[in-house]
Amino acid sequence: MQPAPDYDTLREVENRVLWLATSIVHHANRVRPNPSGLKVGGHQASCASMASLMTTLWFRHLRPEDRVSVKPHASPVLHAINYLLGELDESYLTRLREFGGLQSYPSRTKDPDPVDYSTGSVGIGATAPVWGAIARRYVNDMSGDCGTGRQYSLLGDAELDEGAVWEALLDPMVGELGELAWMVDLNRQSLDRVVPHMAGDRLHGMFTAAGWQVITLKYGELLTQLFDRPGGAELRDRLDRMSNPEYQRLLRCDAEQLRRRLPGDGPGRDRIAALAAGLDDAALLAAIRNLGGHDLAALDRAFDAIDDTRPTVVLCYTVKGYGLPSQGHPQNHSSLLTAGQMRELAVRCGTDADDPWQAFEQGTPAAAVCQAAAERLRRAPRRIAAPPKMPQDIGRTPTGTTTTQAALGRLLMDLTREAPEAAGRVVTVSPDVSSTTNLGGWVNKVGVWSVTERQDWFADDSETILHWSEKPSGQHIELGIAEVNLVGLLGELGAAWSRWGQPLLPIGVLYDPFVERALEPWSYGIYSGGQSILVGTPSGVSLAPEGGAHQSVKTPSIGLEQPGCVSYEPAFAIDTEWTLLAALAQLGRPDGSSAYLRLSTRPVDQTLAAVPGDPVARERRRRQVVAGAYTLRCTDAPDITLAAMGAVVPEALAAADRLAQNGIRADVVCVTSPDLLYRAVRARQGQAEAESWVLDQVFPVERATPLVTVVDGHPHTLAFLATINRVRHAALGVTRFGQSGSLEDVYRYHGLDADSIVRAAFDLATMKF
């Protein structure tokens, strides 16, 4: 901690932060031209409730090694602070929510000033530092050069309604992360209302039960002093028992109304009234809103009291809109100050409404505080290490019968032998499904990462197949059964190249039906620059005996539609190997990308892949697999084309054989990535930047025929393929909830069996126009 400044000077800095944040929103909504009339938005009241806390943190306690996640609606406060620290050019202060300007919410990839964590989706920003702490520790164990530092989450109390917060809190690993410090803006309001009941005591108990240190800042110095005077004990009891709406109503009272309402109807009414009568109007009005979250000295003490041996939460009671005319009003969430109110605020904050962006004059105490903080917080640039060289082809051709899920575990083991440097950067993450997703061999080989080494009490048990060796050098991270936690950690591990200069190759494995449960935080992690591979397995109705609850339907189109991510659904083990290697090669680099692989537990005869023996032909096949599709069976003059993906490719091949027996020649195309094929189609149309050569090789116009597409998922995933050559088309896939049964029965139920493919092909081949 830096030497304590004069609190009057720090309050001057806080007032300037409040003014700048409020002005940033005001200019975007009331000054900048808006020809469309569309609401710009911003959150002046939410900023005001955080100004004291953020001023104390940045100008008194923050260190360069610390990282902070700022609650979404306080982004103008962050930009105001960065401006005073010299980290943001003045020209951006007029560009909140403008194209190319300051983002609506903090973004580490899009904002022009330093942002540690992207926030915006409620709850995700709160938990991001949890996964950031684990990622930093993991990288430190691997390379030893990340240092230490606290991970702060600045969050609103309404964010604690999000289940993702408590999923993260309860993971067994989190209790060991002493660098976590959550600062809760307990302003008692949500977007629509004043929250009816006081939550502080309940939250205190919940965090305490999870093993966290809990610090409560409820009242400031003015109120604390009043509590020591006659009638003070009664006043404290009255405020402690008061409902949130009643307290908020007191904030809207003038002094006369406050003297009438504050005593209430309880037995201590007369003593409270006498205490209030002894205060002048200004002192009374200041006291009622003197909460701990706005008391700089109390905030100072709270930061000093943080115990770095366990996670800490500081419950900071605040007033939403503190210092603004809208303070405490139940509908102040999106309210905006008028021009007249802005001028009054400028006077109160000691600045000039006609020159809103002025910084402190050089040589003043406030300017010295800002300069000292800027010098203290300056981070040395990190050199980003190059990602490891990744092989494109291990060189083996799988035989026999196996699954694409099993191919994942086999490839990881192959990497340890064929590319040990690359394998050393791989880190796998699982929500308690390691053994059922074929990671057992990998886990036995590399061990489980843990903050400290733990004894494996089953190491000498001869019947134990999966050895759970937990140590700081392990490369597999096991979380509890919470998919949101999995993708949250994946995002932070995938951002290690940009945060710490150390590229990792993170692979998260979960059951494919639960990808949808994890979709929002996974997408947000990609948006924030986290590059990783998500493996959904087993997938689709091919998981026939499990029934509808465990049969994914929409996930193929999710992969197709997700920005910043390439999706693959391989049919064979060799396809899995090639696409995984290609995906791994895109991680840990500025121009990199995430990937999603949809794998299956269906055993498939690997000779059906017909992998070419000639090296040149094999490489051509590999390039096509990675680009999105390849021709698996080619006839002399096709009458029909069957394009199938993933687990249902054997049905397409069986259908082609039967069609041939009936005089209908069928080409069979194996689609590995509808995502990349769709990009190729858009590129050919001039709508996107992407390579389109695969369309010429796999869907050449001279071989265009009617098309049947087959996918173990929603049929619209492949329906666009008919637009490549504008041919007649039948789309087969899953449009209903699944059923338990044998593979044959379930495929027949959904129309994925060979009979259904043959039927669709007959219809197209004989159709007349």
Side-chain angles (χ1 to χ4, degrees), residues 533-657:
I533 296 174
L534 187 66
V535 177
T537 181
S539 65
V541 300
S542 296
L543 190 61
E546 287 284 349
H550 281 71
Q551 295 173 354
S552 52
V553 175
K554 295 179 288 183
T555 49
S557 54
I558 287 173
L560 173 66
E561 296 161 10
Q562 175 62 47
C565 172
V566 176
S567 68
Y568 289 108
E569 184 166 347
F572 302 104
I574 191 66
D575 299 351
T576 307
E577 175 188 306
W578 288 338
T579 54
L580 263 171
L581 290 173
L584 286 166
Q586 292 299 310
L587 302 181
R589 43 194 291 178
D591 60 343
S593 169
S594 293
Y596 164 47
L597 274 78
R598 193 172 186 254
L599 304 184
S600 174
T601 50
R602 182 189 182 181
V604 172
D605 179 1
Q606 297 302 301
T607 62
L608 295 177
V611 180
D614 181 83
V616 173
R618 179 186 177 99
E619 173 59 15
R620 184 175 186 270
R621 165 73 70 86
R622 187 200 66 80
R623 291 185 69 246
Q624 290 177 340
V625 166
V626 171
Y630 60 94
T631 302
L632 184 54
R633 183 172 298 179
C634 185
T635 60
D636 291 336
D639 302 303
I640 200 86
T641 300
L642 310 179
M645 183 168 75
V648 294
V649 167
E651 274 60 41
L653 291 170
D657 290 338

Side-chain angles (χ1 to χ4, degrees), residues 265-553:
D265 300 320
R269 183 185 192 288
D270 293 341
R271 291 175 61 82
I272 297 172
L275 177 61
L279 302 175
D280 62 38
D281 289 354
L284 180 62
L285 291 172
I288 196 62
R289 49 186 50 81
N290 179 230
L291 300 182
H294 299 300
D295 189 297
L296 300 180
L299 286 164
D300 228 4
R301 291 192 295 271
F303 281 111
D304 285 339
I306 291 176
D307 177 4
D308 287 325
T309 66
R310 56 177 173 151
T312 296
V313 61
V314 183
L315 302 176
C316 305
Y317 282 75
T318 62
V319 175
K320 192 166 185 175
Y322 182 75
L324 304 181
S326 61
Q327 60 184 329
H329 193 281
Q331 279 83 53
N332 67 5
H333 183 80
S334 298
S335 65
L336 297 168
L337 272 62
T338 65
Q341 290 172 329
M342 287 296 295
R343 289 193 170 275
E344 293 173 3
L345 181 65
V347 173
R348 192 180 71 75
C349 289
T351 188
D352 184 356
D354 295 323
D355 185 15
W357 315 122
Q358 59 181 274
F360 293 111
E361 184 177 347
Q362 289 298 314
T364 62
V369 168
C370 294
Q371 183 177 354
E375 293 174 355
R376 167 170 43 88
L377 294 174
R378 191 165 293 117
R379 294 171 181 168
R382 281 190 174 273
R383 185 184 70 85
I384 299 177
K389 184 175 177 57
M390 188 66 58
Q392 295 182 329
D393 187 350
I394 298 298
R396 186 183 62 253
T397 302
T399 57
T401 300
T402 190
T403 70
T404 53
Q405 177 179 288
L408 165 67
R410 180 62 182 266
L411 174 65
L412 293 176
M413 294 299 291
D414 285 342
L415 277 180
T416 62
R417 295 184 292 270
E418 303 295 331
E421 183 183 357
R425 296 277 178 169
V426 171
V427 51
T428 55
V429 187
S430 164
D432 199 33
V433 292
S434 304
S435 57
T436 54
T437 53
N438 282 93
L439 291 183
W442 164 258
V443 171
N444 286 344
K445 176 74 174 178
V446 302
V448 178
W449 181 82
S450 175
V451 173
T452 57
E453 187 161 356
R454 295 188 174 95
Q455 183 172 350
D456 180 5
W457 291 99
F458 290 88
D460 59 349
D461 187 336
S462 60
E463 295 184 6
T464 298
I465 299 174
L466 181 62
H467 298 289
W468 210 253
S469 175
E470 298 181 80
K471 51 192 176 183
S473 61
Q475 290 180 243
H476 174 76
I477 300 178
E478 188 82 1
L479 300 174
I481 307 174
E483 288 78 15
V484 170
N485 291 353
L486 168 82
V487 295
L489 179 54
L490 272 185
E492 287 306 315
L493 291 168
W497 67 273
S498 58
R499 287 199 193 281
W500 316 111
Q502 294 292 339
L504 296 178
L505 309 178
I507 302 174
V509 181
L510 77 167
Y511 291 166
D512 194 64
F514 306 140
V515 166
E516 293 176 70
R517 184 182 298 174
L519 182 57
E520 185 200 4
W522 175 51
S523 179
Y524 215 83
I526 295 173
Y527 166 80
S528 303
Q531 300 167 8
S532 62
I533 296 174
L534 187 66
V535 177
T537 181
S539 65
V541 300
S542 296
L543 190 61
E546 287 284 349
H550 281 71
Q551 295 173 354
S552 52
V553 175

